[in-house]
Amino acid sequence: MWFDGAVTSTVGILGYPLHRHTLTNGLRVIVSPDHSAPVVALNLWYDVGSRDELLGQTGLAHLFEHLMFQGSANVASGEHLATLQANGGSVNATTWFDRTNYFAAMPTGALNLALWLEADRLATLPQALTVENLDNQREVVKEEKRQRYDNVPYGDVIEHLVALTFPAQHPYGHTTIGSMADLDAASVQDAISFFTRHYLPGNAVLTLVGDIEPADAFARVQKYFGKIPAGNRSQRASVTPLPPHTGVPRARTAAPVPADACYFTWRLPVRDTQDFNALDLTFSILGDGQTSRLHRRLVREDKIAQAASSSALALIGGNSFGFAYARAMPGTTVADLEYAMVSEIDRLVHDGPQPAEIERAKAQYEREWLSELSRFDARADQFGAYATLHGDPQLVNTRIADITAITGDDIVAACGRWLRSEQRAVLSYERTNR
Amino acid sequence: MKRPAVRTPRPWLFPEPRHGTLPNGLNVLIFDRPGQYVISAGLVVDLPLTAEPSDREGVATLTMRCLDEGTRTHPGTRFSEVLEDAGAAMAGSVGHSASELYLDVPAHRLGSALELMAQALIEPALETEDVDRHRSLRLAQIEQTMAHPAQRVGLAFREAVLESGYRAARPAGGTAATVARVSADDVRSFHAQHYSPANSVLVLAGDFTDDPFDQAEATFGRWRSPENPTVHETPRPAPATCLLIDRPDAVQADVRLGGFGIDRTDPRWADVQVASYALGGAFLSRLNRVLREERGYTYGVQLVNQPMRSGGLLTVAGSFRTEVAGAAISEAVRILDLERTPITENEVADAVNYAVGVTPLRYATAAGITEQVTTLIGAGLSSRYVDSHTAALGLVTPGSATRALRQVLDPTRMSLLVVGSAKALEGPLRDAGWAVRVQTDAAAT
């Protein structure tokens, strides 16, 4: 019913409906009706992430995301989340290198309330921003950093990998959570400046997926968001893509973890380019699932690793990242892991993947993508992502076809350009409590 | 602009399955979900872990992990190759009362993938080499779990709150001592004895292109294995205790505070769900409002109402920076005392609206339905529970919620488990009146 035709692996083009409209203040609106459940997923992608932070202000985009729940002119602190929950909604937000997204899903009867709440904070947030709220959320974010990064085994890996892969002044040269020192230094004025610069209707995409018709949806969005001034949208400086690593940069760290681990990173091309898609399939062949080459070699055959995997992290600003990792079994050294990983990568890059491996990776991609889109909230998030980063939400419907079109030759060519073992950087993560 | 009013959601009911039983006794439940192009299949085996030999705990987990390591038809890695070629993914889960195997696959490839799922259950190879490898991997995983403070404190809480001797007090996947003893023969005989069609239910949800009953019959119909009578334990609570597990370099204290709870069949279940949401489920719950939004002590704190098949665990769960952990725990104890501050009319309304409102979204996907139904079956219930729980929520009053929570969780007799810096935390906990025992353990550092 929701697809124009059956989903098939031969055509691979999905038929999720898409209706688009742009308000005069620049807010882009996407509506995708689906009446299979009496709920609507609302998603707002703001085109701002940790890549937009200035040096000395790392963590500000994420801290600001927390402040968005601390009230606005007509909404009390914490009330945005609490009132939607009390009406059967689930609400959250995330910050990442390329985005800050705010999302809620609720019974259709609460949609106007959700739109009003989003519009109120976009129109009036600075009126409610106080030093008390900032100080409180600063502590909450520091607890988040402790809980997720500082107090768990291997929690600081992402920080090391980012530093190894990009120069400190690069937009991707620091983590989204930021540093404790920069969080401590953030002021109310910093937060208001950040809001004024990035939280503008023209810097956002609002997506609705679910039990609503396009004309009705556009009218509601117009009613709540139409009068918000456009503001001055600043242009982001373009980023020159960095070439692959040379000379195998290395970093070493030691911590009280249960087992040694070895991590590789690569600089990759930006997301959804032909080379990136080819590399995405390659990372799946190399390190996703039981049939992948790293699992077979390190976990199953050599029995030197507890786990081994690889994946591509899709980014838009000049480069993406690629990762591979293995965690050692007792008696195995990081050097043993690295040797086996390099030999698998060399074999894959030099000989290319088997045709069966390519077909398998495509079949897995198809299921993962369809599973992702089976959820209203995830579907809305993907429409927002593709509209924001690529200017075209229809790419969500053609994504499987784009992946299916990749050939073995494309993979060999992309690997030769980006994924050779001498283009890696290496992090050795060693345990201290032997 | 005026704040918009909210329209009452239209009533929503959990979908009714089509039900059939294969001649071998396997029950099959089909949920037709138009627009759900990834089929979700779940097979749940009624399998209490009391069935494991007590010195081989973890044999159920190793059995599950070896199911997809090759079958008689597709030996070795050939099995995972054909499974992945079909665009399918399989995952297993072993709980204290049931074992579950899940399959996700695009609808147009269901037939071949279901055949592979059936093979994994009916004729797994369970080769010695694979069992040996998975035993080593499980032992490595136990080390990782013990080094992770939140996972460590969760296991410690379970062990402290349930009377020792009950299987539910110990980890479902076994401990290092018991896992180390599990042999390939143990795994093979465990599979032969406990995996049986008459002990199992197959749940399928999605947008089917072919008749799923025919596909189930064609793949699972050949499964022959005698029914295995099962007996489920009814765990009892242990006396309250306070244990501080030392993790000298920790910058936070991972805290579990609470006690033995109830399960879904208890007449007070809906009352306790509502009270738990008001105290520690909502964003502005009493606990999160004070400890996060006012004090900034934590990224988030919850009161988790976790049912088992019989009894349950009712637990305040959170992590707090070391310097304020003592104060946070004392504040949590005070907040849990409802004697002077009973649950209010508004709190009940908000909790019920939340629980009822999120239901359609939770079950909008095929996987959401399958996972809920297999979980309920594993707890001895059926999919009808969802609607009866919704009805029960409608009957909760501030009085009934307050009364039920006070009966189940006595704030003067709670257990407290902490993983954190003993040097920094022992004093504050003693000062707060806790008779704290300190456990130092190399695995926690």
Side-chain angles (χ1 to χ4, degrees), chain B residues 172-207:
Chain B
T175 61
T178 60
V179 169
R181 281 197 284 266
V182 177
S183 71
D185 281 339
D186 294 329
V187 165
R188 288 188 279 263
S189 65
F190 191 83
H191 174 264
Q193 196 181 342
H194 297 289
Y195 278 70
S196 138
N199 285 68
S200 303
V201 180
L202 176 64
V203 180
L204 290 163
D207 195 342

Side-chain angles (χ1 to χ4, degrees), chain B residues 29-343:
Chain B
L29 297 174
I30 308 291
F31 291 87
D32 294 293
R33 305 310 292 157
Q36 288 292 307
Y37 295 100
V38 178
I39 306 292
S40 168
L43 186 120
V44 53
V45 189
D46 179 20
L47 211 180
L49 291 186
T50 47
E52 293 182 316
S54 61
D55 61 343
R56 309 285 157 99
E57 288 178 357
V59 64
T61 293
L62 292 189
T63 303
M64 178 62 81
R65 290 182 182 179
C66 290
L67 290 183
D68 65 350
E69 291 286 1
T71 62
R72 283 207 293 277
T73 311
H74 295 299
T77 51
R78 190 62 201 141
F79 181 82
S80 40
E81 286 174 4
V82 290
L83 183 81
E84 292 182 21
D85 286 347
M90 256 171 47
S93 152
V94 171
H96 284 92
S97 60
S99 288
E100 287 142 29
L101 184 65
Y102 294 102
L103 171 81
D104 280 350
V105 64
H108 64 101
R109 288 164 160 156
L110 176 62
S112 52
L114 208 55
E115 164 59 25
L116 295 169
M117 185 188 191
Q119 274 179 26
L121 288 157
I122 300 168
E123 42 144 315
L126 305 176
E127 296 287 354
T128 301
E129 193 193 344
D130 294 318
V131 175
D132 289 348
R133 186 178 68 257
H134 275 284
R135 182 178 53 244
S136 303
L137 292 173
R138 169 67 191 136
L139 290 170
Q141 183 193 31
I142 289 171
E143 274 194 66
Q144 295 287 344
T145 302
M146 299 306 266
H148 194 285
Q151 294 174 20
R152 177 84 198 265
V153 77
L155 289 176
F157 184 78
R158 175 177 275 276
E159 187 183 350
V161 166
L162 302 182
E163 192 176 280
S164 70
Y166 288 104
R167 179 65 183 86
R170 300 186 296 279
T175 61
T178 60
V179 169
R181 281 197 284 266
V182 177
S183 71
D185 281 339
D186 294 329
V187 165
R188 288 188 279 263
S189 65
F190 191 83
H191 174 264
Q193 196 181 342
H194 297 289
Y195 278 70
S196 138
N199 285 68
S200 303
V201 180
L202 176 64
V203 180
L204 290 163
D207 195 342
F208 299 98
T209 47
D210 297 299
D211 184 349
F213 280 113
D214 290 348
Q215 288 177 313
E217 170 76 56
T219 51
F220 284 87
R222 69 177 190 280
W223 193 3
R224 297 279 178 272
S225 183
E227 181 168 4
N228 188 43
T230 53
V231 181
H232 290 270
E233 66 179 9
T234 53
R236 309 247 336 130
T241 186
C242 176
L243 181 65
L244 170 57
I245 299 170
D246 189 23
R247 192 170 184 259
D249 52 339
V251 296
Q252 280 185 325
D254 277 79
V255 173
R256 298 291 181 272
L257 170 73
F260 189 82
I262 59 177
D263 60 69
R264 298 178 185 87
T265 65
D266 191 295
R268 300 165 298 180
W269 177 250
D271 294 305
V272 172
Q273 281 284 77
V274 166
S276 314
Y277 182 82
L279 290 176
F283 180 69
L284 287 187
S285 70
R286 295 184 186 187
L287 285 164
N288 207 50
R289 178 196 291 270
V290 173
L291 296 177
R292 173 181 151 130
E293 291 295 290
E294 290 174 17
R295 307 286 162 82
Y297 286 170
T298 181
Y299 179 44
V301 56
Q302 290 184 297
L303 177 58
V304 182
N305 187 27
Q306 182 194 351
M308 301 186 294
R309 183 168 171 130
S310 170
L313 300 169
L314 190 53
T315 324
V316 175
S319 56
F320 308 91
R321 64 182 174 276
T322 304
E323 310 86 80
V324 300
I329 291 164
S330 296
E331 195 72 73
V333 172
R334 188 188 62 74
I335 290 169
L336 292 176
D337 187 350
L338 298 184
E339 191 183 347
R340 275 184 294 277
T341 50
I343 301 293

